[in-house]
Amino acid sequence: MEIKEIKTEDLNPDEFIKQKVEEISSAVGSELAINALSGGVDSSTVTMLGHRALGDKLKTYFIENGLMREGEPQSVVSLFEKLGVHVEIFDAKEQFFNGLKNLKDPEEKREAITRVFYKEVFGRLVEESGAKYLMQGTNYTDVEETVAGIKRQHNILEQLGINTEKRYGYKVIEPLIQLRKSGIRKVAKALTLQEEIYNRPPFPGPALATRVIGEVTPERVETVRKATRIVEDELCNTGAFQYLAILHEDKVTGVREGKRDYGMQIEVRCWESIDATIGSPTQLPYETLDKLAERITTEVPGVVSVTYNITKKPPSTIEVV
Ligand code: XMP
């Protein structure tokens, strides 16, 4: 890999910001750029860097792909309004669910998401806005895992030999590509982003689609969305790196009020990690696990079984897809 990593301990965030602002501004010149903000630390950092460098020449969108968590579009928009950044919500639910129809294989699902993001959604936004550049928060771990063939991260293009200008009609700018998550958090803090952003657990670009085994339908996403809210509610004070709910494909026999209830299974994962390259499960107290099982089986319709993943990464990965 030709990209040179900047290790978090060697990073001077203020110098990094100054250098990237200059680079972005000279790359874009008098043209326009767009970026997609999901509210995660990477895309939030790119949004702030981009606005410092380009001001009104950067247009920021929240892509409503139907795969986000409860209330996420509105809360991200209002958080950034407070920082003086206007974010437009772009509704692409239909495109994403159409693209994911009948797909079960994890890499095929990832490829479909990449295609819808870059070709259908950004292709159209670029055309409508006249922008020549797309800014995004690809980080060093994303590139490393994709190039190693572990997982195709949704935002990796050039490193897979994709010429975005030829294929999609715009150039991609990736100011964070030399940093790991811990370095990006330092830059986010130096950019005066709120703590709830710079300390936010990571959330993947393909969103809840990475947490649905088998076909990703609106109904199945809704199940995992409800379970996610409970998991985040119960585990947000653990200090863990990341915690998530996964919907399994197989149904299992359960029993409710003396009657057979053939239902769904949710797997909970909670990770200790620094930068997502390796990880181990948090040793959660049994009472916490018990509460998770109780809440998920009563509050999420159709779920009869809850399990906790006890595997390290490797050989597991953090997300299931
Ligand atoms: P895995 O599942 O590969 O995840 O162990 C490592 C870290 O990356 C996040 N992740 C992604 N982030 N696009 C992203 O922006 C993706 O396609 C993607 N897949 C995984 C994951 O949440 C974890 O923090």
Side-chain angles (χ1 to χ4, degrees):
M1 200 158 77
E2 299 146 34
I3 301 156
K4 193 173 172 324
E5 179 184 357
I6 302 174
K7 295 217 184 296
T8 304
E9 58 272 26
D10 300 331
L11 172 73
N12 175 329
D14 293 318
E15 262 173 35
F16 180 87
I17 292 167
K18 192 165 166 272
Q19 189 193 338
K20 290 298 156 188
V21 165
E22 280 168 16
E23 280 175 24
I24 296 165
S25 141
S26 76
V28 176
S30 56
E31 300 289 350
L32 295 175
I34 59 166
N35 83 308
L37 169 70
S38 67
V41 62
D42 304 352
S43 67
S44 298
T45 304
V46 165
T47 301
M48 292 314 281
L49 274 178
H51 278 275
R52 272 205 195 177
L54 306 173
D56 287 347
K57 287 189 295 166
L58 176 66
K59 202 155 189 246
T60 299
Y61 295 92
F62 181 99
I63 310 299
E64 168 51 298
N65 51 20
L67 308 167
M68 301 305 278
R69 290 168 291 188
E70 238 173 64
E72 203 149 28
Q74 293 70 25
S75 74
V76 171
V77 169
S78 63
L79 212 59
F80 274 80
E81 289 298 345
K82 285 187 200 136
L83 296 167
V85 174
H86 175 69
V87 183
E88 203 167 300
I89 298 181
F90 182 80
D91 186 353
K93 292 196 279 292
E94 219 178 297
Q95 281 114 300
F96 278 93
F97 284 117
N98 278 341
L100 286 162
K101 208 171 247 164
N102 297 325
L103 300 183
K104 289 188 166 195
D105 176 79
E107 290 299 292
E108 282 179 15
K109 290 195 281 191
R110 283 177 168 272
E111 252 184 77
I113 285 172
T114 300
R115 191 193 63 241
V116 177
F117 255 118
Y118 292 96
K119 194 163 194 289
E120 297 183 23
V121 174
F122 293 136
R124 193 172 133 203
L125 288 176
V126 157
E127 219 174 81
E128 282 176 7
S129 65
K132 296 266 187 302
Y133 295 89
L134 168 73
M135 292 187 60
Q136 63 171 13
T138 320
N139 68 42
Y140 195 79
T141 312
D142 296 339
V143 181
E144 204 175 47
E145 292 210 340
T146 303
V147 172
I150 297 168
K151 241 179 222 193
R152 182 204 169 103
Q153 305 274 313
H154 83 287
N155 47 5
I156 302 300
L157 305 158
E158 212 177 285
Q159 289 76 25
L160 291 175
I162 296 172
N163 179 330
T164 58
E165 210 176 0
K166 266 201 189 143
R167 193 178 293 190
Y168 307 128
Y170 52 81
K171 282 190 182 159
V172 173
I173 299 178
E174 298 170 306
L176 309 178
I177 205 154
Q178 292 169 277
L179 303 179
R180 304 257 187 202
K181 190 68 83 185
S182 43
I184 298 172
R185 291 195 201 284
K186 269 171 93 171
V187 175
K189 192 173 176 189
L191 282 165
T192 68
L193 277 159
Q194 301 97 319
E195 186 176 358
E196 66 179 292
I197 293 181
Y198 70 75
N199 268 340
R200 223 177 169 198
F203 188 66
L208 296 174
T210 61
R211 300 174 181 177
V212 171
I213 303 178
E215 192 181 353
V216 182
T217 62
E219 298 72 31
R220 302 193 77 220
V221 169
E222 190 49 34
T223 298
V224 91
R225 184 179 285 128
K226 287 200 165 84
T228 300
R229 191 177 49 74
I230 298 169
V231 168
E232 292 189 348
D233 233 31
E234 295 296 331
L235 302 183
C236 65
N237 293 324
T238 54
F241 176 78
Q242 204 167 348
Y243 27 86
L244 42 132
I246 290 156
L247 174 63
H248 279 236
E249 193 172 17
D250 292 340
K251 285 189 159 187
V252 290
T253 303
V255 55
R256 262 186 226 275
E257 291 159 13
K259 284 205 189 102
R260 174 187 162 90
D261 187 0
Y262 190 55
M264 293 179 279
Q265 305 184 70
I266 289 286
E267 175 187 331
V268 176
R269 295 182 175 191
C270 183
W271 292 102
E272 298 301 311
S273 179
I274 304 285
D275 56 20
T277 47
I278 55 170
S280 53
T282 307
Q283 296 194 12
L284 292 174
Y286 196 81
E287 303 80 71
T288 308
L289 296 171
D290 196 35
K291 188 147 183 227
L292 282 168
E294 182 62 32
R295 283 195 63 188
I296 294 171
T297 51
T298 49
E299 294 175 35
V300 187
V303 175
V304 295
S305 167
V306 177
T307 55
Y308 185 58
N309 178 52
I310 52 169
T311 322
K312 290 190 173 70
K313 173 182 178 179
S316 179
T317 56
I318 290 187
E319 308 289 348
V320 80
V321 166

